[in-house]
Amino acid sequence: MTSGSWLRLRATVAERGFDLDLALEAGERLAVLGPNGAGKSTLLGLLAGTVRPDSGRAELGGRVLFDLPARTWQPPHSRGIALLAQDPLLFPHLSVLENVAFGPRVNGLGRAAARARAEHWLSEVDATNLAGRRATELSGGQAQRVAIARALATEPELLLLDEPLAALDVSVAPAIRRLLARVLAGRTTLIVTHDLLDALVLADRALVLDAGSAVEDGPTEQVLQRPRTRFAARLAELNLIRGVAVADGVQAGPDLVLQGMAAEPLTTGEPAVAAFAPSAVSVYLDPPHGSPRNLVAVTVSEVEQRGGIVRVRADDHRGHKLAADVTPRAAAELDLYPGREVVFSLKATAVALYPA
Amino acid sequence: MKYLSLRLLAGAAALGLALTGCAGGTPATTAPQQPTQAPETSQPAAEATTLTVFAAASLTKTFTELGQTFEAEHAGVKVSFNFAGSSDLVAQIQQGAPADVFASADEKNMAKATDEQLVAGEPVIFATNVLSIAVPPDNPAKVAGLADLARDDVQLVICAPEVPCGAATVKVAEAAGLTLKPVSEEAKVTDVLAKVESGDADAGLVYATDVAGAEGKVLGIDFPESAGAVNKYPIGALAGSGNADLAAEFVALVTGATGQQVLADAGFGKP
Amino acid sequence: MTRTESTLPRWVFVMAAVGAGFVLLPLAAMTTRVDWLRFGELITSESSVAAFWLSLKTSGASTLACLILGVPMALVLARTRFPGQGVVRALVLLPLVLPPVVGGIALLYTFGRRGLLGATLEVMGLQIAFSTVAVVIAQTFVALPFLVVSLEGSLRTLGQRYEVVAATLGARPTTILGRVTLPLVLPGLLSGTVLSFARSLGEFGATLTFAGSLQGVTRTLPLEIYLQREVDADAAVALSLVLVAIALAVIGLATRRAQVIR
């Protein structure tokens, strides 16, 4: 394998239907998205050294992590890859400072030097004041700060983050996210997340996994603004309708052509998608006349209060699951309930068309 | 179990002890004493009389055989045995356990029973037992007599001096002027025998009956000095027995020709 | 701290009290039979003191042996998967349910003078039968499963997550074991150690069958009690009480330590 990439991984795990080829540049931060069972944990395990693939090869910074079945296999401790999990997993029998100094110590640093390194990283995560505490005495947010310091104190060549904010209280998560954004800058990182914001704030690039393979890969903004898979669309909270590019839009069924703005050049006859935000949808009981709008007849499946708006979920008869946001007042006037037949109407200017 | 429940009763009320003590001789069965020559056809097993014999554990084999002989000679009579250490048996009898006959492995424990007038009449010595040297069949240490047991290269196992067979061992060794250096002093003679059988011990001092009972798994070496410590087995019908006649007949069987033959076959000496 | 009112039905308490009584009553009954006037004299007799020290020494040694052998066994059972693991676990735990005398017979055929290993050792000039080493072997054999079971349970409860984190921080397997895994299962390790010690202290059947009984060499407290019972029941009861007291002290000490660590 010849590659100029910092990280290059190609691996198959037959038991889990996993087959992936992945490259990461030095300093690049990759968000890995995907439904449960898509292979995100397997990917982390392969890199951390806790999952052994049937075959494959991985290199990090010019070192071979594994090359199987040729029997090259670096154990986790000699990979230079640190892992930060959802749960901070601070060693409960050690103090905060001892936790952070653990990595430097086991990597051969002297007591004083390891302590200095630990103090430096504690200050980097604004946790100097916690140094003397026992790991069990910390709140969730404090513990995660310390866990970040502990992971970084080993100066890893690759940092793996496994849903680092998922277990935190919503009031704490933003501060930790900001902290991560700061300390991860320029650091080669792989972040597994379910959260759109994490992906946008912490990653330059997004990879969507499904059933063990990559289905989308590109700059985070693009993957999330122009989703091509249902999973990415749901994450980005966009309606997605797949079809074929035609002269005046995207043909999604014999009697459904969505008109919109071509966000990227389209080739007639090629697969294409139409994406639009739920807020761009208007809901009518009867099709309005004489309007240059896209109209989709649907059956309401769910009506859900979301703060100041009401999200109306509905099915058309072609297998598309669509959502519309309306005001509570409109929802009341329309008397929306599951099973009610309505029409979703959307302006062409609010529909983005691009190749699938 | 029977004994346990009696003990619980005794613990519950002080009076209970005396009561069960009085009732101690009554066997579990409620059947009235029957003439032994009653026709077999008229009374089925339901009204059988049970004769309860408390006997030292070393008598298990011989007495079981004699019990069968006794049952064959006395229709409608069932002989029930309780085999245990003599000291345990006498303690049970003292606490009112229902027994008709007591056969002890030593005179000391029988004396405990006679001292409390628990025995009807004078106990009779019906057998004796002497020590014998048991060695593995191949006799690896080439033991030929008592003096060999004092050799340094002989791994000797004996009974602890605190127990009867150990006391006999001490007596015999002292009489012979020998200093024994055993590798183990066991609390039970069967443990001595087991260690010789397994070959871990080169020799052990056990009773002649133990050698006979081991059926070839050990070789017995008799030695003249054993006459200095003869263990005597007394038997007696108990005063509290509700089957005094049957109890006396059982004692007669044991002391008679049939009993003596069975005991001799098992390695016991004559009284 | 507020305590939630329990929702247990009342009969559960009754049965629990009966259960506690079932355990405590025999111990109490034993104390009523102690001849207190002679108690001091009985437990300080030469043979009693010899048995007492021998018991402490051999139990200490067998506990150490349990740690040396049992910790690796528990680690392998808890942290790896291999074919036949279930069978191996069952066999390792066998002494737990085996009558001790059966264990003694098995050891006899292994380490006895004519046993599988004993015969070879004998040629090399080593004799295990009738030695203090035999007592330690018998105690280790019956006590080992207690340590393995206790520690394996703790290891499984702990899970491997901390170990994975330590590895990604660069810790080598031996470092992880010493600085993460064992410190985190310390309560389980401690209770396993105490159980092993207590089991060793009470070991009787295997020792009697396999090691023999000689004052100061192989006659531990339980064997001394067994012998005294034949002669002087009062001495047996007094010594039994000593054994109960030691066991209580050890267990009490260990549970307190375990709580401190938790």
Side-chain angles (χ1 to χ4, degrees), chain C residues 74-128:
Chain C
L75 285 165
V76 170
L77 284 174
R79 288 289 184 264
T80 63
R81 289 171 68 181
F82 54 88
Q85 192 170 19
V87 178
V88 170
R89 180 182 291 111
L91 287 175
V92 166
L93 302 190
L94 202 58
L96 210 56
V97 289
L98 218 56
V101 63
V102 177
I105 290 170
L107 288 172
L108 198 60
Y109 289 138
T110 313
F111 296 103
R113 283 172 84 193
R114 297 187 178 182
L116 210 56
L117 295 178
T120 316
L121 292 172
E122 179 104 350
V123 172
M124 294 161 61
L126 290 168
Q127 194 194 314
I128 289 174

Side-chain angles (χ1 to χ4, degrees), chain A residues 69-83:
Chain A
R71 300 197 63 80
T72 302
W73 178 259
Q74 290 281 340
H77 65 81
S78 54
R79 290 193 172 198
I81 297 178
L83 174 70

Side-chain angles (χ1 to χ4, degrees), chain A residues 207-239:
Chain A
L207 175 80
V208 179
L209 282 182
D210 193 15
S213 309
V215 290
E216 287 197 57
D217 188 357
T220 315
E221 295 272 333
Q222 189 182 336
V223 167
L224 292 171
Q225 280 172 12
R226 311 236 188 287
R228 284 162 172 84
T229 59
R230 182 168 284 176
F231 179 82
R234 203 176 66 215
L235 201 66
E237 303 219 349
L238 288 175
N239 288 303

Side-chain angles (χ1 to χ4, degrees), chain A residues 90-233:
Chain A
L90 297 181
F91 302 127
H93 59 299
L94 300 179
S95 74
V96 164
L97 190 72
E98 286 165 343
N99 262 281
V100 182
F102 183 91
R105 279 293 283 160
V106 299
N107 283 300
L109 222 57
R111 200 174 290 273
R115 189 188 163 92
R117 174 95 64 90
E119 280 167 349
H120 164 73
W121 280 105
L122 279 177
S123 87
E124 283 289 305
V125 301
D126 305 322
T128 306
N129 57 325
L130 304 175
R133 298 235 204 130
R134 281 219 146 225
T136 45
E137 296 168 349
L138 305 181
S139 71
Q142 289 172 332
Q144 197 61 310
R145 271 177 199 276
V146 175
I148 292 166
R150 182 177 64 174
L152 293 175
T154 60
E155 292 172 355
E157 293 177 20
L158 173 66
L159 184 61
L160 305 176
L161 306 185
D162 189 2
E163 302 196 44
L165 305 169
L168 295 178
D169 199 274
V170 283
S171 61
V172 179
I176 303 292
R177 189 180 291 115
R178 271 205 310 283
L179 167 66
L180 278 174
R182 191 177 79 220
V183 297
L184 296 184
R187 217 170 261 285
T188 318
T189 310
L190 195 146
I191 310 155
V192 165
T193 184
H194 273 113
D195 189 313
L196 173 73
L197 204 53
D198 288 355
L200 285 170
V201 173
L202 302 178
D204 317 303
R205 190 178 134 199
L207 175 80
V208 179
L209 282 182
D210 193 15
S213 309
V215 290
E216 287 197 57
D217 188 357
T220 315
E221 295 272 333
Q222 189 182 336
V223 167
L224 292 171
Q225 280 172 12
R226 311 236 188 287
R228 284 162 172 84
T229 59
R230 182 168 284 176
F231 179 82

